[in-house]
Amino acid sequence: MTAPAGVQLPAAKDVRDMLTGLVGKPVTVSPGAPVTPTPDRPVSVAVYVDPYMNVNALCLMDLGAAAYTGSALALLPPGGAQDAVEEDGELSGMQVEALHEVVNVLSALFNTPGAPHSKLHKLYAPGEELPGDLEGMLAAFNRVDLDIEVPTYGKGSLSFVIP
């Protein structure tokens, strides 16, 4: 008998295919820099857990990725999403709700054969304070960092982290 495989990082193509199918637009995905929260760069953090409530994956999105994927999913106007990123520096309640659905669907990227089942546990909206134990996991080296572009909306960055 072999031990179950751990959670695997998704391939860029799988991320592209998932986002494209989700928002109904051909999302461009390319290698990017790590998404790291700073006081002037708020990020959203989606926390995924296994059936025993152990954190097994994180998805970090900068404000652009969060606003543009959520807004595209909810069919909100691109101008409002761009205002959230460029002027407001935060998401509206409706954008946070839509983002929650985006990161919930992205949990499927971690549910591969042999891996423990992953589900979305919590979404921390951009700028929301993170618990200290999660903050420590954000810098893990087992990660994939991507830049995305949602047509007519804009560009952003996201990182998947396996703590």
Side-chain angles (χ1 to χ4, degrees), residues 63 68 79-90:
L63 197 54
Y68 301 142
Q82 290 155 358
D83 287 349
V85 174
E86 296 164 12
E87 294 174 18
D88 304 339
E90 63 183 15

Side-chain angles (χ1 to χ4, degrees), residues 6 30 35 41 64 75 81 118 146-147 154:
S30 57
V35 174
R41 186 177 186 216
L75 302 174
S118 295
L146 302 168
D147 287 335

Side-chain angles (χ1 to χ4, degrees), residues 84-122:
V85 174
E86 296 164 12
E87 294 174 18
D88 304 339
E90 63 183 15
L91 301 180
S92 70
M94 192 176 291
Q95 288 169 325
V96 172
E97 282 183 41
L99 176 62
H100 188 276
E101 186 56 31
V102 169
V103 295
N104 188 38
V105 170
L106 289 178
S107 69
L109 292 169
F110 302 111
N111 291 318
T112 56
H117 182 76
S118 295
K119 69 175 187 175
L120 178 64
H121 173 64
K122 181 161 177 59

Side-chain angles (χ1 to χ4, degrees), residues 1-28:
M1 189 166 130
T2 58
V7 173
Q8 300 295 310
L9 288 167
K13 179 193 180 303
D14 296 334
V15 175
R16 182 196 70 207
D17 293 348
M18 180 75 70
L19 288 173
T20 293
L22 190 60
V23 303
K25 296 175 176 287
V27 175
T28 304

Side-chain angles (χ1 to χ4, degrees), residues 61-81:
M61 289 189 178
D62 71 2
L63 197 54
Y68 301 142
T69 58
S71 295
L73 174 69
L75 302 174
L76 299 173

